[in-house]
Amino acid sequence: MKTSLSFKNINKLAIPALIAGIAEPILSITDTAIIGNIPENATESLAAVGIVGAFISMLIWVFGQIRSAISSIISQYLGANKLDEIKTLPAQAIAIIVLGSLFVLFISYPFSKQIFEFYNASDDILEYCISYFKIRIFGFPFALFVFAVFGIFRGLQNTFYPMVIAITGALLNILLDIIFVYGIEGYIPAMNIEGAAYASIIAQITMAIIAAVLLMKKTDISLKLSFEFHPEISRLLGMIGNLFIRTIALNVALYFATSYATAYGKEYIAAYTISLNIWLLGAFMVDGYSSAGNILSGKLLGAKDYKTLIELSKKLFIYGVFTGAIIGVIGFIFYESIGKIFTKEALVLKEFYTIFWIVLITQPLNAITFIFDGMFKGMGEMKYLRNLLILSTLFVFLPTLFFFDWLDYKLVAIWIAFTFWILARGLPLIFKFRKMFLPLVK
């Protein structure tokens, strides 16, 4: 049966995926806004949340690539009408990724001080980093379990249940953030930055429980573990390996950006934390269409429907760029107000407003990159994505950052580097896609 690419059908996948995708940045933004307004040591606490958030995001992005890998394989089997042949793979994939997350937890916990010293944290900021991280890291295995389940649902062309799970987790986290960070007089003491970490863990555990229940009740996928490896496990691990290396390269960029911002001073890392969270929120909003591309491209490739695949790329390009432009325009309209949501510190706001315009103009560029990135993941082209990100990080992001830092542009240097990095990742994907598929439909 031919896959419909009507605006309605694309958005039936994209809108729930968009809502699910922004759950994580909303959690981070909630922490940022609430912690940025605590009565004492707000700037130091905000800086610590930004540093720890960068490290935990790195871990989640590295190991969370299971979502794209498993989605790609399941959607391709679905397109080829062979879904029955893949039912035992998800449980094995989940077991592998959760065991890996537990290993990371036990390795990173005792070395938290050294980790954040590596990010240039010191004095009070370092102490806040350690206390926040040593609580929040226990949510890491639950977060990866949820990512794996999201990948299964995406492969089955279902973005509705991930949306339900994500909304529930985000709302619970916001409520608990307010209660735990500020406290309730006479009942719950104000826990400040540690309260935000506890709120995140409880939200992640809740999301994992809901994800497991929905997977067992609403699909034919079993969580029963078979010790006879599925034939596709080697391809899955190969995809994860390529995405793992790719995401390491991505986080090299994030590490240098965070490390440089921290070295500039506490006002700079606080401003960078706000700007990065807003940038990620916009990126994940556009990523709804990337998710639709990920889901549909695997199915179309499995069905060898190349003409519809090209039509899909054109439509998603238009939808994504339009969405990115709208985000940018809204940001410029409320330019002054947005910063004041997160902090009242004049020095932090000064640095934030210096770079916020760059964050906004990159939104349409993000759309191009993320949409084609999602389609290439859906088609299983992980090796090409790996090589492209390594090259763009080593030969575009880092030289740009070093040059503009040498010119003493500080945070502006970081965001110029991010802009060129996004372009270097996106444009080759467009050329590669057209080279691969245009000859197949002539």
Side-chain angles (χ1 to χ4, degrees):
M1 185 174 70
K2 184 174 174 63
T3 300
S4 172
L5 295 184
S6 68
F7 182 77
K8 178 181 178 181
N9 284 338
I10 288 177
N11 280 287
K12 188 176 179 181
L13 293 172
I15 300 303
L18 183 156
I19 295 170
I22 65 174
E24 180 61 31
I26 281 178
L27 297 186
S28 297
I29 279 180
T30 301
D31 284 355
T32 303
I34 291 175
I35 291 169
N37 286 283
I38 60 177
E40 297 180 1
N41 300 320
T43 301
E44 290 82 358
S45 298
L46 187 58
V49 168
I51 296 167
V52 175
F55 179 69
I56 291 182
S57 292
M58 180 271 289
L59 293 177
I60 291 175
W61 287 343
V62 167
F63 290 90
Q65 299 304 323
I66 182 71
R67 177 177 65 181
S68 296
I70 199 167
S71 172
S72 174
I73 292 176
I74 291 176
S75 63
Q76 288 176 34
Y77 270 76
L78 181 67
N81 292 315
K82 297 179 180 179
L83 195 58
D84 287 342
E85 299 178 14
I86 205 72
K87 286 183 179 178
T88 60
L89 179 65
Q92 294 178 351
I94 290 172
I96 290 169
I97 204 67
V98 170
L99 286 173
S101 71
L102 291 172
F103 175 77
V104 170
L105 190 159
F106 290 127
I107 291 295
S108 62
Y109 186 90
F111 296 103
S112 55
K113 182 174 184 289
Q114 290 80 1
I115 290 169
F116 299 113
E117 284 179 336
F118 186 63
Y119 278 82
N120 287 325
S122 60
D123 303 325
D124 289 343
I125 293 177
L126 178 61
E127 294 303 316
Y128 285 134
C129 283
I130 294 169
S131 62
Y132 182 65
F133 174 77
K134 283 192 170 182
I135 299 168
R136 194 173 168 192
I137 188 60
F138 284 97
F140 181 53
F142 299 99
L144 289 191
F145 176 83
V146 171
F147 263 61
V149 174
F150 280 10
I152 296 169
F153 278 123
R154 283 188 178 190
L156 297 172
Q157 317 292 285
N158 184 325
T159 57
F160 177 76
Y161 290 132
M163 179 188 70
V164 171
I165 296 165
I167 289 174
T168 303
L171 292 177
L172 179 61
N173 190 89
I174 291 169
L175 176 63
L176 293 178
D177 253 346
I178 295 169
I179 294 172
F180 291 165
V181 173
Y182 298 137
I184 299 176
E185 190 173 352
Y187 295 95
I188 299 174
M191 290 184 275
N192 297 322
I193 192 171
E194 293 181 352
Y198 284 120
S200 294
I201 289 179
I202 295 172
Q204 287 166 333
I205 292 173
T206 303
M207 291 168 69
I209 293 170
I210 297 171
V213 171
L214 286 175
L215 186 67
M216 291 186 291
K217 297 290 185 182
K218 301 296 183 179
T219 75
D220 294 329
I221 301 295
S222 174
L223 288 177
K224 184 179 179 181
L225 190 62
S226 170
F227 291 98
E228 181 180 349
F229 283 122
H230 190 280
E232 285 284 11
I233 201 73
S234 59
R235 182 158 78 107
L236 177 78
L237 292 175
M239 287 183 179
I240 294 172
N242 283 324
L243 289 171
F244 181 95
I245 297 169
R246 174 182 185 269
T247 312
I248 290 292
L250 184 153
N251 282 283
V252 166
L254 287 175
Y255 161 73
F256 274 94
T258 304
S259 178
Y260 272 53
T262 305
Y264 297 147
K266 64 181 183 180
E267 289 82 14
Y268 290 92
I269 182 59
Y272 167 78
T273 298
I274 297 169
S275 63
L276 183 65
N277 278 297
I278 294 173
W279 186 80
L280 289 173
L281 177 63
F284 278 101
M285 290 177 71
V286 172
D287 200 46
Y289 288 107
S290 172
S291 298
N294 179 287
I295 293 164
L296 292 171
S297 62
K299 183 181 178 182
L300 292 170
L301 185 66
K304 298 183 179 180
D305 188 353
Y306 306 124
K307 183 177 180 180
T308 308
L309 187 60
I310 290 174
E311 184 185 349
L312 173 68
S313 71
K314 293 177 180 178
K315 288 193 172 184
L316 290 178
F317 181 93
I318 294 170
Y319 299 158
V321 171
F322 179 77
T323 304
I326 291 296
I327 293 169
V329 169
I330 292 172
F332 278 112
I333 291 172
F334 298 100
Y335 200 88
E336 296 289 330
S337 304
I338 289 172
K340 293 175 182 176
I341 294 172
F342 298 95
T343 183
K344 301 298 186 293
E345 296 285 340
L347 292 177
V348 176
L349 287 171
K350 176 178 177 291
E351 298 304 329
F352 171 72
Y353 292 136
T354 301
I355 55 172
F356 188 34
W357 64 275
I358 307 178
V359 175
L360 296 176
I361 64 171
T362 59
Q363 295 304 317
L365 302 179
N366 292 342
I368 298 169
T369 299
F370 295 152
I371 282 170
F372 278 90
D373 189 270
M375 292 187 68
F376 271 72
K377 285 178 181 176
M379 296 184 296
E381 294 287 335
M382 313 308 188
K383 183 178 179 180
Y384 182 76
L385 291 174
R386 178 200 69 190
N387 293 340
L388 179 60
L389 190 58
I390 290 172
L391 292 173
S392 60
T393 298
L394 293 179
F395 297 107
V396 178
F397 180 86
L398 291 179
T400 304
L401 174 63
F402 296 157
F403 176 71
F404 284 99
D405 174 71
W406 177 71
L407 293 178
D408 200 30
Y409 278 36
K410 293 187 167 63
L411 292 185
V412 173
I414 293 172
W415 283 104
I416 290 174
F418 272 133
T419 303
F420 281 100
W421 184 60
I422 286 292
L423 283 171
R425 291 172 53 192
L427 293 178
L429 291 178
I430 298 174
F431 298 136
K432 174 76 171 177
F433 181 85
R434 294 176 67 83
K435 184 179 179 181
M436 287 172 64
F437 294 107
L438 281 179
L440 298 177
V441 296
K442 290 181 178 179

